[in-house]
């Protein structure tokens, strides 16, 4: 799936808050880079960790909230 489409779907999941999305993708990508198992069917060796994280958020596999 194209990155633009994934980003649009992911933006819907975070109420169009681009800063929240960027933060969530960054944290999840770091976890994936450090060995966390992806929650979607993705090859860690061929896909970037940020793309996997964005896909997880777009598919609703990760719930993104503001931490208080």
């Amino acid at each position: 799936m194209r990155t633009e489409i994934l980003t649009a779907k992911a933006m819907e999941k975070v109420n169009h808050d681009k800063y929240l999305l960027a933060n969530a993708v960054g944290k999840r990508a770091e976890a994936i880079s450090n060995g966390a198992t992806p929650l979607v069917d993705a090859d860690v060796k061929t896909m970037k960790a940020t793309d996997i994280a964005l896909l997880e958020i777009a598919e609703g596999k990760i719930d993104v909230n503001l931490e208080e």
Side-chain angles (χ1 to χ4, degrees):
M1 187 177 292
R2 293 187 54 138
T3 304
E4 296 85 7
I5 296 170
L6 279 178
T7 303
K9 285 185 177 184
M11 286 290 285
E12 290 175 5
K13 301 290 184 184
V14 296
N15 294 321
H16 301 281
D17 186 338
K18 61 185 174 184
Y19 301 107
L20 179 60
L21 179 60
N23 191 25
V25 167
K27 285 183 179 181
R28 182 62 183 153
E30 183 178 8
I32 292 169
S33 294
N34 289 329
T37 304
L39 302 175
V40 294
D41 186 26
D43 185 5
V44 180
K45 294 179 182 177
T46 60
M47 286 182 71
K48 295 178 184 179
T50 52
D51 292 337
I52 295 171
L54 188 62
L55 181 59
E56 290 177 339
I57 294 169
E59 290 188 359
K61 303 289 183 176
I62 295 178
D63 187 31
V64 180
N65 297 325
L66 286 174
E67 293 181 10
E68 297 188 29

